[in-house]
C-alpha cells in the first residue's frame, strides 16, 4: 500500500497539477493508494504566489492580501474536510479551478457556490469555516509538515507498506517517476525513490545533450 501526503499551496498552479497527478496514481498501480492534500503555508508560499501571479513584490498591501487569501482558502478546505476527506478534496480542487484556471476573485459568494457544488451541508460549512476548530486543524497540519521536514509546496511524503514501512520525501513531486519506481520495485530496497528520480533526470539530461 502507498500512502501519499502531498503538501500544497492552494493558489499554486504546479500544486494544482500535482494534485490531479496524485489522483491518477492508483489507476497505474496494482496496490491500494491512500492520499491526502495538506495545505502548506509560510513566507515562502506567499512569496511564491506573488511571483507566480506577477504581483507587486514591494507592496505590503499586496503581500497581506495574498497571505489572507491563502489562509482563508485553507480554513475553507479544513471546514469542508470536516464533512469527509473526499468532499474536502473535491471542494479544494473546485476552488482552485475557479481561482487558478478561471481567474475568479476569491469572495464569500464564490465560496458558497463551490460548497454547494461539492455537496457540502452549507449551514454547517459556513459555521465551521470561521470556527476555532478549523484554525486548530490548520495549525496541526503545519506541525505535521514541520515534523516531516517539508519546506516548500509540491512536496510529497510517500509511505510504502510492504513487510517494512519505507518513507520517502519528494521535493517537486514527480508522478511518472514515482509510478516507475514502484513498478520497478525500487521502493522495496535502500535505493530510494528520491535517488531514482535524481538519476532519471540526470540520465534524461545526458540523452538530451547527446542529441
Amino acid at each position: 500500500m502507498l500512502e501519499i501526503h502531498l503538501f500544497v499551496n492552494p493558489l499554486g498552479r504546479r500544486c494544482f497539477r500535482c494534485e490531479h497527478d496524485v489522483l491518477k496514481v492508483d489507476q497505474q498501480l496494482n496496490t491500494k493508494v491512500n492520499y491526502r492534500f495538506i495545505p502548506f503555508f509560510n513566507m515562502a508560499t506567499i512569496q511564491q504566489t506573488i511571483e507566480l501571479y506577477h504581483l507587486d513584490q514591494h507592496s505590503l498591501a499586496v503581500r497581506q492580501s495574498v497571505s489572507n487569501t491563502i489562509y482563508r482558502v485553507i480554513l475553507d478546505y479544513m471546514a469542508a474536510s470536516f464533512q469527509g476527506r473526499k468532499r474536502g478534496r473535491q471542494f479544494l480542487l473546485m476552488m482552485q479551478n475557479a481561482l487558478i484556471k478561471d481567474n475568479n476573485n476569491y469572495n464569500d459568494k464564490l465560496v458558497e457556490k463551490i460548497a454547494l457544488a461539492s455537496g457540502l451541508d452549507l449551514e454547517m460549512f459556513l459555521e465551521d469555516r470561521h470556527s476555532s476548530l478549523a484554525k486548530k486543524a490548520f495549525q496541526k497540519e503545519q506541525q505535521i509538515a514541520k515534523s516531516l521536514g517539508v519546506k516548500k509546496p509540491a512536496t510529497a511524503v510517500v509511505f510504502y507498506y510492504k513487510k517494512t514501512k519505507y518513507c520517502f520525501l519528494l521535493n517537486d513531486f514527480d508522478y511518472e517517476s514515482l509510478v516507475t519506481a514502484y513498478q520497478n520495485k525500487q521502493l522495496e530496497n535502500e535505493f530510494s525513490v528520491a535517488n531514482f528520480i535524481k538519476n532519471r533526470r540526470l540520465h534524461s539530461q545526458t540523452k538530451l545533450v547527446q542529441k
Side-chain angles (χ1 to χ4, degrees):
M1 183 183 83
L2 284 179
E3 186 175 302
I4 303 173
H5 298 246
L6 181 64
F7 293 83
V8 302
N9 171 4
L11 300 185
R13 291 193 182 99
R14 172 171 169 73
C15 289
F16 186 48
R17 292 194 298 271
C18 287
E19 289 162 35
H20 283 280
D21 284 345
V22 167
L23 295 176
K24 296 188 297 183
V25 169
D26 57 353
Q27 299 174 14
Q28 299 291 326
L29 305 181
N30 186 28
T31 187
K32 183 178 180 181
V33 180
N34 291 330
Y35 39 80
R36 294 184 62 201
F37 298 156
I38 302 178
F40 187 66
F41 185 43
N42 62 7
M43 294 302 294
T45 308
I46 297 170
Q47 181 63 28
Q48 179 192 72
T49 305
I50 289 173
E51 293 174 0
L52 178 65
Y53 291 93
H54 307 291
L55 302 175
D56 185 356
Q57 299 190 35
H58 305 292
S59 171
L60 180 60
V62 167
R63 191 167 294 273
Q64 290 176 335
S65 177
V66 169
S67 174
N68 184 63
T69 300
I70 296 174
Y71 181 60
R72 288 308 320 171
V73 172
I74 290 175
L75 292 187
D76 289 342
Y77 173 48
M78 296 291 98
S81 297
F82 292 159
Q83 298 187 37
R85 190 175 293 179
K86 186 175 181 179
R87 285 183 176 175
R89 286 197 302 267
Q90 185 176 11
F91 173 87
L92 179 62
L93 289 169
M94 292 180 71
M95 175 61 73
Q96 291 173 309
N97 192 77
L99 297 176
I100 298 171
K101 294 188 67 176
D102 297 339
N103 201 31
N104 285 299
N105 291 322
Y106 175 82
N107 53 54
D108 288 342
K109 185 177 180 180
L110 178 66
V111 172
E112 292 183 19
K113 178 182 176 181
I114 293 175
L116 288 172
S118 53
L120 298 178
D121 179 313
L122 184 59
E123 183 177 353
M124 183 185 302
F125 168 76
L126 292 178
E127 182 177 344
D128 286 340
R129 69 190 289 251
H130 294 294
S131 69
S132 60
L133 191 62
K135 295 176 183 177
K136 288 179 181 178
F138 161 71
Q139 292 167 356
K140 182 179 179 180
E141 299 288 37
Q142 303 315 294
Q143 290 171 358
I144 290 174
K146 184 177 181 180
S147 68
L148 292 173
V150 176
K151 297 181 179 179
K152 62 180 183 178
T155 294
V157 176
V158 181
F159 295 91
Y160 177 58
Y161 300 88
K162 188 171 183 179
K163 296 181 181 179
T164 306
K165 181 174 74 172
Y166 298 87
C167 176
F168 307 97
L169 186 147
L170 309 179
N171 290 311
D172 300 318
F173 174 74
D174 187 313
Y175 161 77
E176 291 185 359
S177 294
L178 176 61
V179 170
T180 303
Y182 176 84
Q183 292 174 338
N184 291 344
K185 300 186 183 301
Q186 301 285 3
L187 304 187
E188 299 180 25
N189 53 42
E190 296 179 358
F191 189 85
S192 76
V193 68
N195 286 330
F196 176 85
I197 291 173
K198 180 180 178 181
N199 290 341
R200 183 180 180 189
R201 285 174 177 165
L202 287 174
H203 180 62
S204 297
Q205 290 172 359
T206 302
K207 288 176 65 178
L208 184 61
V209 171
Q210 290 174 345
K211 288 180 180 180

